[in-house]
Amino acid sequence: MSTTAFSAIDRRSFLLAGVSGAAALALAPRAQAAMPPLREFTLVAAPAKVSLVGPPHPDTDVWGYAAQVPGPEIRVPRGQPIRVTVENRLAEETTVHWHGVRVPNAMDGVPFLTQKPIAPGASFVYDFACPDAGTFWYHPHQRSFAQVGRGLSGALIVEEAQPLAVDRDVTWVLGDWRLLNDASISDDFGNMMDVSHAGRIGNTVTVNGRVRESFAVRAGERMRLRLINAANARIFGLEFDGHAPLVVALDGQPVAPHAPDGGRVVLGPAMRADIVLDMTGRPGEKFRVTDTFYRNLQYRLLDLAYGDDKPLREAPDAKPIGLAANPLPEPDLKDAERHDVTLGGGMMGGMMAARMDGKSVDIRTLMHNGLVWAINGVAAKGHVHDPLLTLARNRSCVMQLTNDTAWHHPMHLHGHSFRVISRDGRPTPRREWQDTVLLAPRERAEIAFVADNPGDWMFHCHILEHQIGGMMGVIRVA
Ligand code: C2O
Ligand code: CU
């Protein structure tokens, strides 16, 4: 254990220093003079022990990057070439997926589809630049229901050239754990009960890897709070008592600043929201942040605890809070290919049969294979299969997603961001860019994007138990 701890500290300082690879540049013929210098990071995936719940509870055995949960926050300027070496010191294969980042296909981290999984003891080098500024995250794509659930994930923050004028830029990675009484992780990952219902919803919610009583704030300050839902299955609906959050970005992409519906910030698994919070309370006051998403299961996430310092300013800051748009191609709705995608299955879904491995099988056979969900009637086993859709490169595409189930599904497309242009037939007021769209039971949504990133891309539910339960497919851009 002590050698692991030592190397973790070592890695962390290495990582935070963000060593610029002058030597590597000299050797790499494609890195020419005008490029900003390459920045290198190392992520070691390994078992670790951390205090999730805090004393008097014992530490928890987790799987972490750099022996931390969540992994180290990677921060890079937009467009900066980066190289991340992932070392696998787990006892099983892994990969890293850069969620929401429009990377070249070979860097997408999907086992067997875009790369060979990284064997125990081996490493893999990811080389890419982030074309969009915003809040992203990274996590394994191999057995992610277990690997993410044991702690493997971290924030990837891509900085704007012109950052928001705030007093503090804060990231909250929200985690959800199913712990036993001794604070160890329940190892019932992927059980059919979770797979066929709402997924693995845990009993312990952490903010940046720790159950927290409070978060210290100063009266008068303006904070940019980057919320990342890194849970396997839990949907969050956060309410900030006494405060008026404004959403300025969703899934990393700027959106017209607005108050969330009903004052509640809703985040399905994998989704992010950047909010601007003005600390309008008085020194010494306390306000609750509550998660009210699941009826009758509300709980206090933590308190915003005001320190005694005199307010930083008396009236809220008048500076504008809009973010400049990222360079996303605008879909041409009049000329778009249209596709229907229907989600089926699950408990109370009435699915009697689906296609598996190219043939139609009944629900008993599906269940026997751990499958209960389907997209367009196909229950997917593994990451590699015939494409659900093949899209012409650089064509605009509108996908109508229909949730024909009794459950929520956060549907994620790799390699692209899309506009959510309608819900249940009504145009959305902000046509927000997302990489993950949360569909309520029986809801319909239309998404639109330009299929400009060639390759085979995963399209799946980010409730990780639904993903292994069949709700996944490949979209080919050719
Ligand atoms: Cu966040 Cu397919 O992944
Ligand atoms: Cu789902």
Side-chain angles (χ1 to χ4, degrees):
M1 213 61 232
S2 63
T3 42
T4 310
F6 174 76
S7 84
I9 290 161
D10 210 22
R11 291 291 169 195
R12 170 123 176 100
S13 48
F14 173 70
L15 187 128
L16 290 179
V19 178
S20 86
L25 264 184
L27 296 172
R30 65 197 170 75
Q32 292 305 323
M35 296 262 275
L38 180 72
R39 283 183 59 186
E40 296 194 50
F41 302 91
T42 298
L43 285 176
V44 178
K49 252 187 200 307
V50 299
S51 177
L52 286 180
V53 195
H57 302 275
D59 288 356
T60 301
D61 285 306
V62 298
W63 296 352
Y65 295 112
Q68 301 171 51
V69 164
E73 178 169 297
I74 297 179
R75 260 191 183 257
V76 289
R78 186 174 89 79
Q80 162 91 50
I82 64 174
R83 171 170 296 166
V84 188
T85 302
V86 175
E87 280 181 42
N88 182 7
R89 292 192 207 152
L90 303 168
E92 62 181 57
E93 296 173 329
T94 193
T95 65
V96 175
H97 169 59
W98 312 96
H99 184 113
V101 182
R102 297 183 295 138
V103 295
N105 193 254
M107 297 292 114
D108 200 40
V110 180
F112 307 106
L113 188 68
T114 71
Q115 69 170 92
K116 274 206 342 239
I118 313 167
S123 55
F124 187 87
V125 179
Y126 293 92
D127 261 312
F128 59 96
C130 303
D132 303 321
T135 304
F136 300 91
W137 67 299
Y138 59 91
H139 65 77
H141 224 283
Q142 170 74 345
R143 290 197 351 110
S144 53
F145 64 99
Q147 296 193 4
V148 175
R150 289 188 186 277
L152 290 167
S153 66
L156 170 56
I157 306 299
V158 186
E159 295 169 335
E160 297 90 15
Q162 205 61 62
L164 268 193
V166 292
D167 303 306
R168 254 201 307 166
D169 185 334
V170 172
T171 307
W172 285 2
V173 179
L174 303 171
D176 179 35
W177 310 79
R178 185 177 290 168
L179 300 183
L180 305 177
N181 283 337
D182 61 355
S184 67
I185 297 174
S186 165
D187 64 5
D188 58 343
F189 286 102
N191 69 72
M192 279 314 272
M193 178 72 185
D194 288 341
V195 169
S196 60
H197 293 77
R200 180 183 175 93
I201 294 184
N203 53 18
T204 306
V205 169
T206 54
V207 174
N208 296 339
R210 188 75 185 253
V211 174
R212 303 202 183 247
E213 187 53 35
S214 62
F215 180 81
V217 299
R218 177 165 179 194
E221 73 173 335
R222 171 170 279 179
M223 203 162 84
R224 175 182 189 165
L225 181 56
R226 302 170 184 265
L227 298 166
I228 302 175
N229 182 352
N232 276 32
R234 181 183 289 276
I235 302 168
F236 291 90
L238 299 186
E239 297 190 31
F240 296 78
D241 261 15
H243 291 74
L246 285 177
V247 177
V248 298
L250 289 168
D251 290 356
Q253 304 295 345
V255 64
H258 64 280
D261 279 353
R264 183 165 87 161
V265 183
V266 173
L267 286 180
M271 295 171 66
R272 290 87 65 212
D274 288 35
I275 63 176
V276 168
L277 260 188
D278 282 321
M279 295 303 164
T280 47
R282 305 301 303 167
E285 286 192 304
K286 260 193 186 147
F287 295 87
R288 286 165 169 254
V289 179
T290 318
D291 177 3
T292 61
F293 187 80
Y294 300 100
R295 221 171 301 166
N296 307 324
L297 285 175
Q298 313 192 347
Y299 64 95
R300 180 178 62 101
L301 182 69
L302 48 67
D303 285 335
L304 298 176
Y306 281 72
D308 294 326
D309 289 358
K310 76 170 199 333
L312 198 59
R313 58 178 68 76
E314 283 303 331
D317 199 343
K319 289 198 201 77
I321 54 167
L323 285 164
N326 283 313
L328 291 160
E330 189 59 45
D332 175 356
L333 299 186
K334 287 188 295 295
D335 186 43
E337 318 180 19
R338 299 189 60 92
H339 297 278
D340 283 313
V341 172
T342 301
L343 313 176
M347 264 317 152
M348 301 171 289
M351 184 165 85
M352 299 309 292
R355 293 186 73 76
M356 178 185 85
D357 295 335
K359 40 183 190 303
S360 183
V361 297
D362 65 10
I363 187 70
R364 277 192 54 234
T365 312
L366 289 168
M367 294 275 287
H368 191 73
N369 283 273
L371 300 172
V372 280
W373 302 98
I375 301 181
N376 284 355
V378 177
K381 256 164 99 192
H383 288 93
V384 182
H385 18 87
D386 292 340
L388 173 71
L389 296 175
T390 298
L391 306 176
R393 186 169 176 194
N394 293 328
R395 270 295 292 279
S396 293
C397 165
V398 173
M399 277 163 61
Q400 168 157 270
L401 311 178
T402 302
N403 179 2
D404 198 12
T405 81
W407 304 89
H408 281 89
H409 303 289
M411 298 304 298
H412 172 47
L413 173 63
H414 286 210
H416 300 77
S417 285
F418 47 77
R419 278 192 190 279
V420 180
I421 58 171
S422 80
R423 285 187 182 265
D424 285 335
R426 281 183 300 278
T428 51
R430 279 171 288 272
R431 305 173 78 245
E432 55 275 16
W433 289 104
Q434 305 244 234
D435 55 55
T436 306
V437 56
L438 182 61
L439 294 170
R442 310 291 167 192
E443 192 180 25
R444 255 180 321 129
E446 281 178 306
I447 65 172
F449 60 100
V450 179
D452 66 342
N453 200 354
D456 279 0
W457 302 102
M458 295 305 301
F459 174 69
H460 64 89
C461 180
H462 222 289
I463 289 179
L464 301 173
E465 293 73 27
H466 292 179
Q467 182 192 344
I468 43 153
M471 196 174 276
M472 129 170 90
V474 166
I475 291 187
R476 177 169 293 167
V477 177

